[in-house]
Structures are given as C-alpha cells and as structure tokens.
Amino acid sequence: MRNKTIMAIVVLCCSFNSSKAQTNNIYAEFLGVGLLGSLNYERMVKDNIFARVSYGGFSIESTDYDDYWNEVTIKTSINPLSLGAHYLMGNKLKLEAGAGITYWMISVDGSLENSEADVGGISVTADGGFLMYYTSFGFRYQNPEGGLNLKAGISPIIVNVDGETGVLTWPHVSLGYSF
C-alpha cells in the first residue's frame, strides 16, 4: 500500500503540464516536513507556483530494563509522505511560502526478552498513520536558468491526534538541483 501511494503521488506530480518552459527541482532537505530528513521533487505548474512531493524518514530505537531486569526494546519509525504547493517571489534569491498535507506512516516494534527461562520473550508490532497539515516559510536561492538551489526556513506542522491539536515547528535547510 505504501509503495502504491508513493507512485500515485509521483505520477500525479509529474503529469502537470505548463505552456512555458518546465522547471523541476530535486533536493534533499534536513529536518523540515520530513522530520529528520526528506527527498523532494517539485515541478512548476504555473508562474512561480510549484507542486511538491516528498518522502522522509525518522527512526529511533531504545533499549531499557524493567524492574525484573528484562530487556525491553522499542523501535519507532515515522515516514512522512507530503504533497503541497509552494509560491516563490523574487529573481535568484526568493521568498518562499507553501502549504500542504503530510501523511505520517508510523510503525512500532517492541520486544521483551525475559531473563527467566520459564516465560520466553514477547514481541509486539503495530502500524498506523496520521494525516497532518504543514506550512513552510523561508528563503531560496535558485537561478532561473537552473543549477544549484539552496533553501532555509521553518516548517510548522499542525498535528492533530485524538482531538488534541499542536504545532511542531521545525527549521529546514536543503540542497538540490533545478533543471
């Protein structure tokens, strides 16, 4: 399901057609909407308006011991898949504002290794997802003829889980190529 969703968004983003010369951007972003990092593709759909698709990843593993000296390991993985639109204003150094949706695909694996031989171990796996909204504000250096592009700014993510709403504000820095 995850691969089909990614492919559908890439095909949708690549199918936009404009009567003017096409501008494409591929870049790696540190922090931002992808949490720890993401790979991004943008395509100009109208003058200074870009459609964006990105896939990011964040993973953490922790090991601890309970009161009975049993080893407890929990691995959490979050893979945000984002789709949005960004507006650029300026010539080479541009102001950027954008918004979109991001779907967090979350996987949690946990295990308890019992030190007593009579019980053995326990493993638990759970998957799920949450739909979030994001905004993005910042600066971008991008030559209109193409080549290297650099971005920096902030990406507030509006988190709504079980009726509770909060905002995660992540800075972002990216390096990429325009063609």
Side-chain angles (χ1 to χ4, degrees):
M1 177 66 182
R2 185 182 298 185
N3 291 337
K4 289 180 183 178
T5 304
I6 294 169
M7 288 303 297
I9 290 174
V10 169
V11 168
L12 176 68
C13 196
C14 293
S15 67
F16 290 113
N17 193 3
S18 175
S19 61
K20 298 182 185 220
Q22 297 299 312
T23 301
N24 299 286
N25 299 316
I26 296 175
Y27 56 92
E29 185 173 75
F30 177 66
L31 296 175
V33 176
L35 298 179
L36 189 58
S38 63
L39 294 175
N40 301 269
Y41 172 75
E42 290 181 336
R43 183 170 179 124
M44 184 187 293
V45 293
K46 207 168 191 181
D47 289 336
N48 297 323
I49 298 175
F50 288 82
R52 171 188 180 178
V53 63
S54 70
Y55 183 74
F58 174 79
S59 185
I60 188 168
E61 184 173 334
S62 67
T63 302
D64 202 356
Y65 293 91
D66 67 5
D67 294 338
Y68 302 103
W69 293 99
N70 297 316
E71 184 176 277
V72 179
T73 303
I74 298 175
K75 181 179 180 186
T76 304
S77 177
I78 302 173
N79 296 100
L81 180 62
S82 304
L83 182 63
H86 290 247
Y87 179 75
L88 304 178
M89 184 173 47
N91 189 21
K92 286 186 179 181
L93 183 60
K94 303 171 188 249
L95 290 172
E96 175 183 20
I101 60 173
T102 183
Y103 183 71
W104 288 10
M105 296 172 277
I106 301 171
S107 174
V108 178
D109 296 319
S111 66
L112 174 106
E113 296 300 325
N114 193 321
S115 60
E116 303 295 322
D118 59 345
V119 176
I122 298 172
S123 292
V124 176
T125 300
D127 293 318
F130 293 100
L131 187 63
M132 313 286 179
Y133 302 96
Y134 78 90
T135 57
S136 182
F137 304 99
F139 296 96
R140 180 189 297 205
Y141 170 78
Q142 179 175 321
N143 193 337
E145 284 84 41
L148 185 69
N149 70 45
L150 302 166
K151 289 175 49 171
I154 60 169
S155 297
I157 301 169
I158 301 161
V159 179
N160 187 351
V161 178
D162 294 331
E164 297 292 324
T165 302
V167 177
L168 299 172
T169 302
W170 288 89
H172 66 262
V173 176
S174 68
L175 174 66
Y177 187 76
S178 301
F179 55 97

